[in-house]
Amino acid sequence: MPTIEPPRNEAHKARQMAESFGVDTERYDRARPDYPDALVRRIIAAAPGPDLLDVGCGTGIEARQFLAAGCTVLGIEPDARMAGFARRTGVEVEVATFEDWDDAGRTFDAVVAGQSWHWVDPVAGAAKAARVLRPGGLLAVFAHVYDPPPLVAEAFATALRKVVPDSPFSAAPPKPAGDIYRLMFATFADGIRQEAGFGEPEQWRFDWERHYSRADWLDLLPTTGALTQLPPDRLAEVLESVGTAIDTLGGGFTMPYTTLALTAPRTT
């Protein structure tokens, strides 16, 4: 659910949550969606070469897409569990946060970050990206934006308020994903603009959709930030409530997705 992230200026400080997604790496890799092929192709076309650094690569979802397209990819991932899964799928990974990672003088044609840049300090991250990019190299950060059907979203919010009443995610009604990501990407762009080595950030948009059965959606939900740290009994209660809501929709729904990307070339 896109509404279950920390405040946009504080997410990179929430390390316990940032490094909680490896609790079930197989589920994460299975349930999280790929990125549009058009996005992958456009990043490759805009970069001066095929050598990519994938920041917060997780289980390697986008890294494998770039590898399949002919790129070489080095992943950076702070969670050793996620990094281990990615390595087993053929992705080279070093375990570190991006800000603390030792680049050892290595440089790349593109720095990419799929669904992970909000866990990076936006100013320090942009400076680090500029340092490891070759002249003309591309910084590309991207994320999926989506709102489940209102009935499903409300069932989730109500259940979360019941089982975790003191959670920061339970304190307010769900906000539209577009509003959240508009603010988040503005923060990303501001961080990039503070780094003199980049040109003006440009935003790309890719619209697509995916159908979810009841089982598919309940497989995805536990991989999201508000649920990764819930004990099994409370998680089961949330999933039961959401599943009941999906049943009233006929057992599934089609989700409109927008994948947003913010890109900037290294100019010096």
Side-chain angles (χ1 to χ4, degrees), residues 14-263:
R15 296 317 308 169
Q16 185 176 8
M17 181 178 293
E19 296 170 28
S20 70
F21 297 97
V23 66
D24 188 343
T25 56
E26 291 188 6
R27 180 196 293 267
Y28 186 100
D29 195 73
R30 177 180 67 240
R32 289 287 182 119
D34 290 346
Y35 294 89
D37 290 339
L39 168 65
V40 173
R41 292 195 300 269
R42 189 167 178 182
I43 290 172
I44 293 172
D51 297 334
L52 270 63
L53 181 71
D54 185 0
V55 176
C57 70
T59 58
I61 293 171
E62 68 269 11
R64 294 192 299 272
Q65 290 184 258
F66 283 106
L67 285 170
C71 297
T72 59
V73 180
L74 173 64
I76 305 300
E77 170 55 46
D79 189 325
R81 299 165 299 181
M82 302 282 267
F85 186 101
R87 290 189 188 110
R88 292 192 294 275
T89 68
V91 180
E92 182 182 353
V93 186
E94 296 180 8
V95 177
T97 62
F98 184 48
E99 298 93 326
D100 294 334
W101 170 65
D102 181 8
D103 60 71
R106 292 168 288 182
T107 58
F108 302 85
D109 296 308
V111 172
V112 303
Q115 212 79 24
S116 64
W117 198 249
H118 54 292
W119 301 121
V120 176
D121 181 289
V123 175
K128 186 69 167 279
R131 185 159 65 249
V132 301
L133 279 170
R134 296 165 186 158
L138 186 74
L139 172 61
V141 304
F142 41 93
H144 301 308
V145 183
Y146 56 96
D147 284 307
L151 189 65
V152 175
E154 181 55 35
F156 175 82
T158 299
L160 197 61
R161 285 193 294 269
K162 179 182 177 183
V163 303
V164 199
D166 57 346
S167 167
F169 304 116
S170 306
K175 296 180 181 179
D179 292 350
I180 293 170
Y181 278 90
R182 191 176 302 112
L183 293 173
M184 191 180 293
F185 272 64
T187 298
F188 298 166
D190 289 345
I192 292 170
R193 291 189 183 103
Q194 291 187 48
E195 175 51 54
F198 284 111
E200 177 63 17
E202 178 182 352
Q203 189 165 295
W204 303 343
R205 174 180 178 138
F206 303 86
D207 294 314
W208 53 287
E209 61 182 29
R210 177 174 175 175
H211 182 77
Y212 283 93
S213 67
R214 184 185 197 274
D216 292 337
W217 189 247
L218 298 188
D219 201 28
L220 173 67
L221 271 188
T223 75
T224 57
L227 301 187
T228 53
Q229 300 176 75
L230 279 187
D233 58 336
R234 294 186 181 184
L235 175 60
E237 190 170 345
V238 173
L239 296 183
E240 182 179 358
S241 296
V242 175
T244 298
I246 297 173
D247 289 341
T248 67
L249 298 176
F253 58 90
T254 297
M255 175 83 75
Y257 273 94
T258 296
T259 300
L260 294 179
L262 190 72
T263 67

